[in-house]
Amino acid sequence: MRILIAVTHLLGAGHLTRAAALARAFAAAGHETVLVSGGHPAPLVRLDGVRLVQLPPLRIEGFDFGRLIGPDGEAAGAEHFDARRDALLSALDETAPDAVITELFPLGRRGLAAEFLALVEAARARVPRPLILSSVRDILVAPDRPSKVDEAHERIAALYDAVLVHGDPGLVPLDASWPVDARLADKLRYTGYVDEGGARPATAERKGILVAAGSSAAGLKLFHAAAEAARLRADLEWRLLVGHGIPDETLGALSGSLPPGTVMRARPDYRALLAQASLSVSQCGYNTAVDLLITDTPAVLVPFEAGRETEQRLRAERLAALGRARIVSEREVSAQTLLAAIIDCGEPVPARKAIALDGGTRTVAIVQAMHQEALFDRLRTALDRAAQDGRAVRLWWRDDDAVAATPALDRLLSLADGRPLLIAAIPAGIEPSLGRRLLRAKHVRVAVHGLGHADHAPAAEKNAEFGPHRDRAQLRDEARRALDLARDALPASLLLPVFVPPWNRMDPAFAAELGGLGYVGLSAAGGAPVPGLARADATLDVIDWRGTRSVRDPASLIAALATHAETGAGTALGLLTHHLAHDEAVWDFLERVLPVLDHPAIRWCDPRDLFVEAVDATGTAPISPSAEWPRAG
């Protein structure tokens, strides 16, 4: 897929950090991912494999979210917002995404509604339309007026496919902080917490107190209290990690009379330092809570509560209820209250309650599944339209490498359930059980799959049995022998003299000689017509041979079927399987897609009809389907 995530952080970098972690998870799963950031650049945010688009930035001063500040320190004007919107829409056009994710909006960032709505409406106008998703943390700050909640829910209902809630209802459900009605409830998808920091570091004996409070100046009161506590109890081995949003002179003032190395800038190895600490003192932002859950570090929490902020307090209370933390009110924080809570927090930490912390992986899985379902909807719509227009959408099915009756062959035939099927059998390996089993199947025919499926290509070239590097006389002899072996091993009613080169590769010049050897058809994975032969290629291979060797990206397979239904109904699209190589993911995909293709618009082509239309270079009449196939030699 192609994913576009739009985020604007205004106070601290938590929103950007979480959005970047999601972007990395999509990129790690092989999806092209673009992160559009509208806040100020944050130096510690990782973007491995992710393309960043930076909008003209915005920030706030203090805690006034109603006044957005541009780079010049003044309130942003219309030109600034126009430039942001234009850059956002340009990123949409360049990415052509399969999914658009708006971080927090429309359940937050109401001050940026115009640009977010411009993005969403432009995305919805695209053909095909991408998924439209909202991404929110576990706890939100509800508006002060019910009308704003209603407006957000109306936007979700009208414009969005789902709301990804990056939390675990076992710790805190969304309705603990936000009024959830029926319009919203049906679209919630809990992902678990998005872990920014990776695996838990291996630790030696824990020691010292680690103090952190995000990247902005919102934690200054906590830092001042912690610095004073460190002066009173230096024996506790303090370390204060000050965010990059705090000026150097403030950092210097905090360091006064403390041992060197006590106060320092925030570091990218925060997770490792936390795992080594005997106790954490911090606010209770989203990423901090995840870090504490991952490392099992005892904590004193001083939740940020300025203005109308309630998010951190609620999260801290939930952690405290699990026995994971002690809380000190931001209004009451001082060196003395911190030290009292630290002493009280010295008891052993209870076993951690199971909280889902794989939110990045689960988000990717949820979006992939939704994308596949959206493509199924597109496929169904295309088939419905074809049926309404009286168009037949032609498909056919080829399966390769058969040699004997096996459980995998039984599963294939059961899945085909009477749909016409061409099985490419390897003549040198055919066992009597193959013919006996296929005689009991409906609408099955057998093609000639090379001679022995042996690779004769040089070491530096791709596998081929009938490639251009071999002697032409030898190729003729083997192709002739292959057809004779197939005739001797299989009932005449099953065999079609159609050549299927192993690995779908062969010398194009040799293909022109197949007609003189008794073949009437050729099937590979695409190529030029061959005079005198009917050609039907199987181009929709369900296996990812060069990667996982499991099912290819299901979304791309479904998209190819939908495109064929929309634009390619005049030709037959060939589905290619290899029953002996299928794992459960391949079988699962086939079991899901085939029922969708049981549609009035679909015409499954019988292989006999595909390969009796051979004409030679002079345009003579096609071979009759009732004619007896000629024997080579």
Side-chain angles (χ1 to χ4, degrees):
M1 295 183 294
R2 293 183 299 276
I3 308 294
L4 186 147
I5 302 175
V7 57
T8 292
H9 61 289
L10 298 172
L11 176 67
H15 291 278
L16 177 61
T17 299
R18 184 171 56 256
L22 288 175
R24 294 197 306 273
F26 279 108
H31 304 299
E32 180 184 338
T33 308
V34 175
L35 180 64
V36 183
S37 175
H40 276 263
L44 297 184
V45 172
R46 294 186 292 119
L47 294 168
D48 313 341
V50 176
R51 183 166 73 90
L52 176 68
V53 174
Q54 177 65 56
L55 303 183
L58 290 171
R59 60 181 176 85
I60 63 171
E61 288 183 350
F63 310 114
D64 182 5
F65 286 89
R67 186 171 184 267
L68 301 177
I69 307 300
D72 60 359
E74 300 296 327
E79 290 185 2
H80 191 78
F81 286 107
D82 288 346
R84 286 171 58 88
R85 183 199 60 229
D86 292 347
L88 190 56
L89 296 181
S90 177
L92 175 71
D93 289 339
E94 291 174 6
T95 306
D98 298 297
V100 171
I101 301 175
T102 59
E103 199 279 333
L104 194 54
F105 186 81
L107 301 183
R109 293 288 181 263
R110 285 173 292 278
L112 297 174
E115 66 185 42
F116 276 118
L117 289 174
L119 171 66
V120 169
E121 289 165 0
R124 289 180 61 85
R126 298 186 65 86
V127 179
R129 180 179 77 78
L131 291 171
I132 310 295
L133 307 168
S134 176
S135 164
V136 301
R137 65 191 179 213
D138 55 342
I139 299 170
L140 299 174
V141 178
D144 53 356
R145 293 199 302 272
S147 61
K148 293 181 179 179
V149 174
D150 188 65
E151 179 183 55
H153 288 192
E154 283 298 320
R155 287 169 173 168
I156 291 290
L159 303 175
Y160 281 74
D161 296 293
V163 177
L164 305 169
V165 183
H166 304 304
D168 185 332
L171 181 62
V172 52
L174 187 64
D175 60 11
S177 62
W178 182 278
V180 175
D181 63 12
R183 292 171 295 178
L184 181 59
D186 289 343
K187 295 197 174 184
L188 297 184
R189 305 289 186 274
Y190 284 94
T191 71
Y193 284 87
V194 177
D195 177 16
E196 156 64 18
R200 173 179 175 172
T203 60
E205 181 181 357
R206 293 178 181 267
K207 63 178 182 178
I209 296 174
L210 185 68
V211 183
S215 61
S216 74
L220 264 180
K221 187 175 182 181
L222 170 57
F223 280 125
H224 282 298
E228 183 59 29
R231 295 183 183 98
L232 295 174
R233 287 292 306 272
D235 58 301
L236 296 179
E237 299 185 48
W238 299 74
R239 181 178 286 174
L240 281 65
L241 300 183
V242 178
H244 291 263
I246 293 177
D248 290 341
E249 56 270 23
T250 305
L251 183 142
L254 288 170
S255 304
S257 75
L258 289 173
T262 301
V263 180
M264 65 187 71
R265 286 293 183 193
R267 294 165 36 169
D269 61 344
Y270 169 73
R271 170 76 58 86
L273 296 176
L274 184 64
Q276 296 165 6
S278 60
L279 187 134
S280 167
V281 175
S282 69
Q283 296 178 320
C284 197
Y286 182 96
N287 295 313
T288 297
V290 174
D291 286 330
L292 292 172
L293 288 167
I294 288 285
T295 60
D296 282 324
T297 304
V300 171
L301 298 174
V302 185
F304 173 64
E305 298 181 83
R308 297 180 54 253
E309 291 293 327
T310 57
E311 169 218 346
Q312 294 198 13
R313 181 74 190 198
L314 177 55
R315 191 180 295 114
E317 289 172 350
R318 295 296 174 120
L319 290 174
L322 293 179
R324 298 303 317 279
R326 299 292 183 271
I327 298 176
V328 174
S329 167
E330 187 177 53
R331 293 187 303 274
E332 299 173 356
V333 67
S334 66
Q336 290 72 26
T337 55
L338 274 186
L339 289 171
I342 288 167
I343 294 169
D344 189 42
C345 207
E347 61 196 51
V349 178
R352 171 162 43 114
K353 181 179 178 180
I355 302 296
L357 298 171
D358 57 346
T361 301
R362 291 173 66 178
T363 297
V364 172
I366 288 169
V367 177
Q368 286 177 164
M370 292 185 67
H371 179 50
Q372 289 179 32
E373 191 55 42
L375 288 170
F376 272 121
D377 288 343
R378 175 188 166 196
L379 175 57
R380 294 184 188 100
T381 299
L383 292 174
D384 289 344
R385 188 173 295 116
Q388 292 167 5
D389 295 342
R391 293 185 291 110
V393 179
R394 302 174 68 209
L395 299 175
W396 75 285
W397 188 351
R398 192 185 95 206
D399 184 89
D400 288 359
D401 297 350
V403 290
T406 63
L409 181 63
D410 287 338
R411 189 169 182 179
L412 175 77
L413 296 174
S414 175
L415 195 59
D417 192 26
R419 297 178 183 88
L421 180 62
L422 181 66
I423 291 183
I426 302 170
I430 294 176
E431 298 179 12
S433 64
L434 180 64
R436 292 195 298 267
R437 177 64 184 90
L438 295 183
L439 276 176
R440 305 200 312 269
K442 295 180 180 179
H443 307 302
V444 174
R445 293 295 180 270
V446 181
V448 179
H449 197 26
L451 175 60
H453 209 297
D455 178 25
H456 296 290
E461 296 186 20
K462 295 179 179 179
N463 294 352
E465 185 175 31
F466 283 79
H469 47 276
R470 300 186 67 199
D471 179 72
R472 184 69 59 82
Q474 189 174 16
L475 294 182
R476 284 194 294 270
D477 178 65
E478 290 190 4
R480 183 183 293 111
R481 281 199 295 132
L483 185 53
D484 287 343
L485 284 173
R487 289 186 183 281
D488 292 338
L490 295 167
S493 61
L494 289 176
L495 184 64
L496 294 184
V498 171
F499 190 76
V500 179
W503 297 286
N504 284 311
R505 298 188 189 101
M506 70 179 303
D507 181 358
F510 175 67
E513 300 192 29
L514 290 173
L517 301 173
Y519 292 94
V520 299
L522 172 65
S523 180
V530 178
L533 294 179
R535 179 155 196 164
D537 292 318
T539 57
L540 194 63
D541 193 335
V542 302
I543 296 180
D544 177 20
W545 294 106
R546 297 182 182 179
T548 63
R549 300 186 73 84
S550 180
V551 67
R552 278 178 57 195
D553 172 31
S556 68
L557 296 171
I558 301 164
L561 288 166
T563 299
H564 177 63
E566 292 163 347
T567 63
T571 59
L573 176 66
L575 178 70
L576 178 59
T577 60
H578 290 72
H579 65 279
L580 293 175
H582 292 183
D583 63 8
E584 284 303 316
V586 177
W587 290 116
D588 288 348
F589 171 76
L590 293 172
E591 288 169 359
R592 188 176 182 196
V593 74
L594 287 172
V596 179
L597 300 176
D598 289 333
H599 189 282
I602 293 290
R603 298 292 183 272
W604 285 99
C605 300
D606 190 313
R608 293 173 300 180
D609 297 327
L610 291 172
F611 292 104
V612 297
E613 299 172 356
V615 293
D616 63 20
T618 63
T620 57
I623 298 172
S624 167
S626 60
E628 184 176 350
W629 302 113
R631 185 179 180 88

